Amino acid sequence: MTPPPPPFGFSRSRDDLRFDPALDDEPLADARAALAQGRWTAARSLLAETGDDWDRRGHRLVILGEGGASATWAREWQLAEPGSSDAAALLASATVFRAVAGKEKPEQAREACLAAAALTPADPTPWLCLLILARHTGSDDEQIRAFDQVRGRHRSHHHGHHLMTACLAERPQAAADGGAFHEVYEFVDWAVGEAPAGSPLAVLPVVAHAELYRVQATAGTLPADPAASGHWDGWRARQALKRGFDWWLEFDGDGQDHPRLHLDLNFLVHAQFLQGRTAEAAALFNRIGVHATRIPWAYPDRDPKKAFRAAREAVLGPGSP
C-alpha cells in the first residue's frame, strides 16, 4: 500500500517543534503546569478521569512525576487525603525520578512504589516506576521482576515494553555479529507475537534496533553519525521497519489515540529516513506534525531538534520548516 503524499502547501514556523514528553495530551500538560505551582487538585482530577486506562495512566504519572517539585506536592496531597491511591502513585513516580537523579536513596523510592502498589493491586504503574528505577540503579533480575509485574497486570503495556527493550539492549552481547542476534531481538519478536492485533507494540523491533544503535555508538563500536553507521542497511532493519510500517498503514485510522503514539511514529520516521524511504518518511513527518520526540533523534549524543529538522527538510525539500 502506497502511503499518502504530503499535503499541498505544507508549511510550519521555525519554532514549531515542542519536544514535550506530554506529547499531544493537553490536559496532562495543564495539570503538570498546575502541579509545578503547587496546585495538585488538577492532577487529582486528571488521574480520576484516567481511571484504569493503564497505558494512559502510566504516561500521565510518569510525566507528572518528572517535575522537580512533584514529590513535595504529592506529600501535600497525601496530608490532605491520606488514603488517596493517586497521591501515593504520584509520590512513587516523583521519588523514583529523584532517586534516578541522585537526590533520593533508591530504597526510599522502592518503598514508595511498593506502598502505592499495595493501595491499588491491579495498577501496573507502581511497577512501571520500579522498572524505571531498576534500569538505572538495579540489577538485571530486578528489571525482569518489575517488568513481569507490569506485564502481569497489563499484557500489552506500552511503556513497560519500551523500557524492557532498552534494558536488554544495554546488556553486553557475546558474539561479534554486529548485534544481529542480540537477545533484545528475541524479546521483541516474542512481545510482538504475544500482542493483540493492532497493538502499537508492532513497532518494538524498530525500537530495539534504534536502542541497540544507541548502545553501540556510545561504546564506539559504530559511528556516531547514524547515517554513516550502516546499522539501518541490513536485514534486521528492513524486517523491523516493514513490520512497524505495515502496522501503521493498517491501523493508524479511526480510534488510534494511544497516549504514546507519537513516540512510535518518531521511531518509524527516523528509521524510514535512514533507510532512504522518502515517500514513507514524508507521510510520517506530516502525521507527526509538531510532536517530535527527543528519542531516537538524540541517539547517540546529538541535538534532537537539529537532527529532526535536517531529516524533515531532506525529505520534504529545501525551505521546509
Side-chain angles (χ1 to χ4, degrees), residues 204-250:
L204 271 184
V206 179
V207 175
H209 205 66
E211 294 291 357
L212 198 57
Y213 167 73
R214 169 182 59 84
V215 172
Q216 293 177 326
T218 300
T221 57
L222 283 178
D225 179 1
S229 68
H231 188 67
W232 275 267
D233 298 336
W235 65 273
R236 274 287 188 192
R238 293 192 298 271
Q239 181 187 68
L241 190 52
K242 183 181 186 307
R243 293 168 77 179
F245 196 67
D246 285 351
W247 161 78
W248 181 65
L249 288 176
E250 186 171 356

Side-chain angles (χ1 to χ4, degrees), residues 232-299:
W232 275 267
D233 298 336
W235 65 273
R236 274 287 188 192
R238 293 192 298 271
Q239 181 187 68
L241 190 52
K242 183 181 186 307
R243 293 168 77 179
F245 196 67
D246 285 351
W247 161 78
W248 181 65
L249 288 176
E250 186 171 356
F251 294 103
D252 187 56
D254 294 339
Q256 184 60 272
D257 62 347
H258 192 279
R260 285 163 48 91
L261 174 65
H262 287 291
L263 181 62
D264 289 321
L265 298 185
N266 274 266
F267 271 105
L268 280 176
V269 75
H270 176 261
Q272 294 283 12
F273 169 69
L274 290 171
Q275 286 196 14
R277 299 177 180 272
T278 56
E280 294 91 338
L284 285 162
F285 273 123
N286 282 283
R287 178 64 174 82
I288 287 167
V290 301
H291 300 294
T293 57
R294 188 182 65 82
I295 60 173
W297 300 100
Y299 289 169

Side-chain angles (χ1 to χ4, degrees), residues 32-314:
R32 177 184 58 189
L35 186 63
Q37 298 172 2
R39 293 183 282 116
W40 50 263
T41 54
R44 178 181 62 182
S45 298
L46 180 75
L47 295 173
E49 176 269 330
T50 307
D52 61 358
D53 182 345
W54 299 130
D55 278 319
R56 195 171 304 278
R57 178 174 171 83
H59 174 61
R60 287 175 164 176
L61 276 165
V62 164
I63 300 307
L64 291 172
E66 287 178 328
S70 294
T72 298
W73 302 123
R75 291 189 181 96
E76 289 286 328
W77 181 2
Q78 283 192 315
L79 287 174
E81 299 179 359
S84 171
S85 58
D86 288 342
L90 176 58
L91 181 60
S93 176
T95 308
V96 161
F97 284 108
R98 285 181 58 79
V100 169
K103 299 177 181 179
E104 200 87 58
K105 292 182 179 180
E107 293 76 14
Q108 291 177 296
R110 192 171 295 109
E111 289 174 5
C113 290
L114 293 176
L119 288 174
T120 52
D123 184 5
T125 311
W127 301 100
L128 174 70
C129 294
L130 276 172
L131 179 54
I132 294 171
L133 182 68
R135 180 187 177 192
H136 293 277
T137 68
S139 65
D140 291 353
D141 287 344
E142 287 173 323
Q143 294 169 6
I144 292 171
R145 286 197 297 270
F147 173 73
D148 285 346
Q149 293 290 341
V150 172
R151 191 173 183 276
R153 289 161 174 79
H154 182 36
R155 292 180 66 83
S156 57
H157 198 286
H158 190 273
H159 198 168
H161 280 82
H162 273 239
L163 278 171
M164 196 63 214
T165 298
C167 288
L168 290 171
E170 289 161 2
R171 296 183 183 179
Q173 58 194 51
D177 54 19
F181 298 98
H182 194 284
E183 64 179 308
V184 70
Y185 292 121
E186 182 179 356
F187 169 76
V188 297
D189 286 345
W190 165 80
V192 172
E194 292 286 313
S199 170
L201 293 185
V203 182
L204 271 184
V206 179
V207 175
H209 205 66
E211 294 291 357
L212 198 57
Y213 167 73
R214 169 182 59 84
V215 172
Q216 293 177 326
T218 300
T221 57
L222 283 178
D225 179 1
S229 68
H231 188 67
W232 275 267
D233 298 336
W235 65 273
R236 274 287 188 192
R238 293 192 298 271
Q239 181 187 68
L241 190 52
K242 183 181 186 307
R243 293 168 77 179
F245 196 67
D246 285 351
W247 161 78
W248 181 65
L249 288 176
E250 186 171 356
F251 294 103
D252 187 56
D254 294 339
Q256 184 60 272
D257 62 347
H258 192 279
R260 285 163 48 91
L261 174 65
H262 287 291
L263 181 62
D264 289 321
L265 298 185
N266 274 266
F267 271 105
L268 280 176
V269 75
H270 176 261
Q272 294 283 12
F273 169 69
L274 290 171
Q275 286 196 14
R277 299 177 180 272
T278 56
E280 294 91 338
L284 285 162
F285 273 123
N286 282 283
R287 178 64 174 82
I288 287 167
V290 301
H291 300 294
T293 57
R294 188 182 65 82
I295 60 173
W297 300 100
Y299 289 169
D301 187 21
R302 309 169 76 210
D303 181 323
K305 184 171 286 191
K306 288 182 180 179
F308 183 92
R309 286 197 191 283
R312 191 171 70 181
E313 291 181 6

